[in-house]
Amino acid sequence: MIITIDGPAGAGKSTVARQLAQRLGFTYLETGAMYRAVALAVHRAGISPSDEAALAALLPRLRLRWQDGRIFLADQDVTDLIRHPQITELARQVADSPAVRQYLGELQRQIGQHTHLVTEGRDQGTKIFPHADCKFFLTASPEVRARRRWEELQRQGFSFTYEEVLRQQLERDQRDAQRSLAPMHPAPDAILVDTSQLTVEQVVDLLEAHVRRRLPVQGIALIP
Ligand code: DC
């Protein structure tokens, strides 16, 4: 069974997807971490994110691995390194590359072949798993999303102002929605959830209820 959770940055996808997967006993996949790990590798290799040929040559050598909620490059756990704002910016550029999108899309589908999955990103319900059993699109107001991101940056020790974070986020939203390759939009059959006024627990409860309603149809036994 495949459950997809898409939506913009700051909508709360990662936390919700991780907790939902835990409740159901499914594997959790954070596809943004894959784009970020490629960005880190691109940074280390000194390649331009717009050099398609260099990216295509780099990808098969990465040994990118997602395991138990952590992301690895070769055998190095880079889960924490990829949260740096510089990598966030580079990941956005790397995500525009057709070679990268194709490579990571295949990797994501391979993971989905072997396990029940809760996967989150921007294109999981639209491009990667169009036949997913249950699709969600999480949103929240730009102000709420920027505040969540700002609080996360504060915790990490970065001294951006809230206004800066909000401005950057609005720019990023616009680019995500307008890019020609895999623009972000809800799948027609996705359930839209606005998380602005909800706690994480309330969102997970809501999604879990939707999924469990589908289960008799799927005939899948879940953790009670
Ligand atoms: O969710 P995030 O901020 O960790 O994602 C990092 C970047 O990767 C962001 O610019 C959006 C992009 N991304 C994407 O294009 N498709 C996905 N499925 C996941 C992330």
Side-chain angles (χ1 to χ4, degrees), residues 6-9 13-14 30-33 35-36 83 87-89 91-93 95-96 101 108 120-124 128 172 176 179 182:
D6 291 306
K13 291 176 309 228
S14 311
E30 183 195 337
T31 60
Y35 285 91
R36 287 170 178 272
R83 302 289 153 199
I87 299 301
T88 302
E89 175 54 27
R92 184 188 63 70
Q93 298 172 45
D96 282 339
R101 296 210 77 86
Q108 292 154 16
E120 64 100 337
R122 305 290 196 283
D123 58 352
Q124 298 298 285
I128 308 300
R172 217 165 125 200
D176 268 354
R179 74 166 167 238

Side-chain angles (χ1 to χ4, degrees), residues 1-3 21 24-29 111-119 133 215 218-223:
M1 183 180 200
I2 305 282
I3 300 167
L24 299 171
F26 283 20
T27 298
Y28 158 63
L29 178 61
I111 295 172
Q113 268 172 13
H114 302 293
T115 177
H116 294 309
L117 195 66
V118 177
T119 177
D133 305 275
L215 291 175
Q218 300 296 328
I220 291 169
L222 283 185
I223 293 176

Side-chain angles (χ1 to χ4, degrees), residues 167-188:
R167 184 178 47 74
Q168 278 174 12
Q169 184 183 266
L170 290 170
E171 282 172 17
R172 217 165 125 200
D173 283 354
Q174 205 176 13
R175 281 192 304 248
D176 268 354
Q178 287 175 349
R179 74 166 167 238
S180 54
L181 198 66
M184 185 182 60
H185 61 84

